[in-house]
Amino acid sequence: MSTVEQQSADISRNGGGDGRTFAVDNPATGETIAHLPDMDAEQVHALVARARAAQKAWGEASFDDRAAVMYRARKWMTDNRERIAKTVMDETGKTREDAFIADVFTTADALGFWAKKAPSYLADERVRTHAVLAFGRKLILRYRPYGVVGVIGPWNYPIANCFGDAVPALMAGNAVILKPSEVTPLSSLLVLEGMRAAGLPDDVMQVATGTGETGAALVDGADMIMFTGSTRTGKKIMARAAETLTPVSLELGGKDPMIVLRDADLERAANTAVYWGMANGGQICMSVERIYVEEPVYDEFVQKVVDKTRQLRQGKPGGAASVELGAVTFAPQVEIIERHIRDAVDKGADVLTGGKASNGPGRFFEPTVLTNVDHSMEIMTEETFGPTLPIMKVRDADEAVQLANDTRYGLNSSVFAGDPDEGERVARRLTAGSACVNDAVINYAATELPFGGSGESGIGVRHGPGGIQKYCQVQALAVTRFATKRELYHFPYTKTRSGLLERMSVLLYGRVPRKYRNRR
Ligand code: NDP
């Protein structure tokens, strides 16, 4: 049975299903490629109930048992890479390389990473205390899975940004319900097939297909929500989760700056800007969305970026290396890109190359470079999420830093400098959650490093120890092994013991340490 058929069967097993469906299109051709059930709240709650039942045994399984499933899933992904890449390409319109690098390669890497790291990241931690009253106790911090984690994902990387977040949640012992974007649900259904083939017990991972309403129902039912998507929806989810005090982790939008200093390697900076501005059609939360270049090298840098952008090939993706840019996955995104460019041009910007959507079939937007831009323009302040590179001239590094930090977002950022130490000094002044020197986005590949946004780019992190600990309730244990019959502070109160406690507090807290005595 195919996963799409399985999904329909699951719906009838839930007892719900009024037959509502939604269509999935191929953005590169305009063709409808599937119809899937649009799950209502009752159906989602039925999935949650099944997940809750299945989680018990999964949560009690050893890390090794769970890791075995993840490694088998990794092999399944590798064996089925062509099928996976094709499914991702069909529903996103992205190139084979974009599908392969992030959705296959990165996710396969994540399966092994969390399988290996979960035992150490989630190991019980022995805590030593400074507190006199708690001396002698065995103090333990332990991680216990929440139960049912809802993972709500966007359409730009339908596997990496949806199932990718399920991997640590599963390794921590949770059951997971994926709610993929209604634009790109087929990839999640395919991965579900892979997890079943890898031996994941029934109902430990399920997929709730549907629209925003389906996601909202999952927020009501799950014990924890991992959300990746727009800042607007992230705020709605946090408000809804507040009603049940459900913890959330939010990976939201970005407007990532790149700074190019006068002594930078301009060839490398331009190559990086064009790649990370245009890769995946610019539909990356941490793509380079705006560039600040020091005056003496501005013209040369702009020329390089324009030349390189003009060489990019765009069209319906085929086999390996067929095109560099694919389609715009989500139809309304074209209007956002057009609006940002129109607003910039109305306020005095120049379009040096690109600038418009191409005629169908399929949905494409030309790779675009703009200059004479400033912060009165949406293209410099709002997330465009398209193949656009607006470049602004700055006097010096100080002005670049001030402009880079002039944003409500704070996801990723990059600095190009001839002197890497100077680059690092500038990077440390940026308010974004991550910063790269003489590179962009590469921090994300180092899964040991936490990745998360500041400001309106999110709350919580993926990757690093925090990327799996967030799927757990922290339980603090204090075990008293050897003790007297009565503590100093127990009833009944006596003058002797009250006096002793008071003298003890004066002894412990009644002086400023020598090092700080004369410090003002
Ligand atoms: P959206 O916020 O529109 O949607 C994300 C998911 O939320 C979709 O599955 C959507 O369902 C669902 N959803 C919509 N409304 C609700 C609701 N009220 N309650 C629960 N779920 C809901 O984001 P996009 O899909 O448009 O993705 C693009 C955005 O994602 C960009 O802003 C990008 O920056 C961000 N992003 C952030 C990343 C990060 O790591 N920080 C990584 C990748 C993308 P449906 O699609 O069916 O409406």
Side-chain angles (χ1 to χ4, degrees):
M1 193 188 289
S2 80
T3 315
V4 175
E5 288 161 1
Q6 175 77 48
Q7 186 72 8
S8 306
D10 284 348
I11 297 269
S12 40
R13 186 141 64 98
N14 293 341
D18 57 5
R20 272 188 311 162
T21 61
F22 63 93
V24 183
D25 296 334
N26 181 333
T29 62
E31 290 161 339
T32 298
I33 51 176
H35 286 95
L36 289 176
D38 181 6
M39 288 187 166
D40 61 21
E42 196 186 329
Q43 292 165 326
V44 172
H45 293 146
L47 293 191
V48 172
R50 294 221 309 263
R52 213 173 282 298
Q55 188 272 332
K56 209 173 170 321
W58 180 250
E60 284 166 6
S62 69
F63 282 121
D64 277 344
D65 287 344
R66 291 182 215 143
V69 175
M70 301 301 148
Y71 283 120
R72 284 197 295 267
R74 186 172 73 169
K75 178 171 176 351
W76 182 90
M77 282 200 91
T78 312
D79 293 346
N80 289 272
R81 60 191 180 280
E82 282 305 327
R83 217 176 131 206
I84 298 170
K86 181 169 184 329
T87 303
V88 171
M89 287 166 71
D90 282 352
E91 62 180 357
T92 60
K94 66 171 74 179
T95 65
R96 189 180 182 283
E97 284 76 9
D98 286 330
F100 192 78
I101 291 172
D103 285 307
V104 180
F105 183 86
T106 308
T107 310
D109 185 69
L111 282 158
F113 176 78
W114 293 114
K116 185 170 169 207
K117 288 289 193 177
S120 59
Y121 285 165
L122 298 182
D124 283 4
E125 290 173 27
R126 283 296 286 271
V127 174
R128 291 164 71 92
T129 183
H130 78 291
V132 176
L133 296 182
F135 272 171
R137 273 45 171 213
K138 180 177 163 191
L139 304 173
I140 300 165
L141 191 160
R142 102 174 247 237
Y143 297 96
R144 181 168 60 189
Y146 274 118
V148 178
V149 171
V151 175
I152 303 177
W155 43 259
N156 67 335
Y157 285 109
I159 296 181
N161 283 336
C162 199
F163 173 69
D165 283 313
V167 177
L170 289 168
M171 272 311 296
N174 295 284
V176 171
I177 296 173
L178 298 180
K179 157 47 186 108
S181 166
E182 67 186 286
V183 182
T184 56
L186 299 174
S187 305
S188 288
L189 292 170
L190 181 57
V191 172
L192 178 61
E193 180 186 321
M195 292 305 280
R196 285 181 175 145
L200 188 73
D202 278 354
D203 299 335
V204 171
M205 187 172 110
Q206 302 171 82
V207 179
T209 54
T211 58
E213 287 301 305
T214 312
L218 186 55
V219 176
D220 293 341
D223 303 317
M224 189 269 176
I225 290 291
M226 169 65 221
F227 172 78
T228 306
S230 64
T231 296
R232 189 174 45 82
T233 309
K235 287 179 182 178
K236 278 194 212 162
I237 285 182
M238 193 161 172
R240 182 119 182 186
E243 288 170 27
T244 44
L245 282 182
T246 301
V248 293
S249 183
L250 307 173
E251 293 284 350
L252 308 177
K255 188 73 191 172
D256 294 356
M258 171 188 274
I259 293 176
V260 182
L261 300 182
R262 62 190 74 199
D263 61 348
D265 177 343
L266 293 189
E267 185 64 17
R268 177 168 173 79
N271 279 330
T272 310
V274 174
Y275 181 74
W276 283 117
M278 308 296 182
N280 209 42
Q283 304 162 114
I284 308 181
C285 55
M286 53 186 163
S287 63
V288 174
E289 283 246 347
R290 51 195 171 116
I291 308 180
Y292 305 96
V293 188
E294 275 198 280
E295 205 165 356
V297 293
Y298 175 81
D299 289 340
E300 191 184 344
F301 178 80
V302 168
Q303 195 55 54
K304 281 180 184 289
V305 168
V306 169
D307 290 347
K308 290 170 194 300
T309 301
R310 286 195 177 130
Q311 285 166 23
L312 300 175
R313 298 163 300 155
Q314 182 169 40
K316 179 178 176 297
S322 57
V323 282
E324 275 85 32
L325 264 83
V328 175
T329 303
F330 185 44
Q333 205 64 36
V334 175
E335 287 154 40
I336 296 173
I337 303 167
E338 280 175 339
R339 196 186 72 221
H340 287 189
I341 293 177
R342 204 168 43 244
D343 169 70
V345 170
D346 287 350
K347 290 172 181 163
D350 294 321
V351 174
L352 300 191
T353 185
K356 54 184 193 310
S358 52
N359 294 327
R363 215 167 26 236
F364 296 90
F365 202 97
E366 295 173 351
T368 301
V369 179
L370 300 102
T371 52
N372 282 328
V373 289
D374 62 42
H375 279 216
S376 70
M377 303 169 184
E378 284 182 314
I379 201 133
M380 293 302 276
T381 56
E382 298 298 322
E383 185 180 48
T384 310
F385 221 59
T388 53
L389 279 177
I391 313 177
M392 186 171 172
K393 190 190 291 182
V394 291
R395 272 188 317 276
D396 52 25
D398 286 347
E399 188 184 14
V401 169
Q402 182 254 316
L403 287 166
N405 289 341
D406 177 28
T407 176
R408 64 190 172 102
Y409 296 109
L411 202 53
N412 216 334
S413 57
S414 55
V415 181
F416 281 76
D419 173 7
D421 294 335
E422 175 57 12
E424 188 180 328
R425 278 192 289 277
V426 172
R428 284 172 181 270
R429 295 168 64 195
L430 298 177
T431 51
S434 307
C436 296
V437 175
N438 291 334
D439 213 326
V441 185
I442 197 65
N443 57 301
Y444 196 80
T447 331
E448 295 77 6
L449 260 186
F451 173 80
S454 63
E456 294 199 8
S457 286
I459 292 175
V461 292
R462 32 165 92 98
H463 300 176
I468 188 165
Q469 289 166 354
K470 71 182 177 185
Y471 293 118
C472 297
Q473 181 99 50
V474 171
Q475 187 184 31
L477 295 169
V479 180
T480 302
R481 289 169 176 274
F482 310 103
T484 54
K485 300 286 179 215
R486 176 181 288 142
E487 296 289 345
L488 197 57
Y489 49 81
H490 277 177
F491 294 139
Y493 294 148
T494 68
K495 286 194 170 154
T496 315
R497 284 195 279 137
S498 293
L500 205 61
L501 275 172
E502 198 175 322
R503 281 202 297 287
M504 206 164 89
S505 76
V506 171
L507 199 69
L508 286 170
Y509 311 123
R511 66 192 178 92
V512 175
R514 187 188 301 276
K515 182 178 166 193
Y516 298 104
R517 258 177 230 166
N518 297 320
R519 209 180 170 95
R520 291 283 159 212

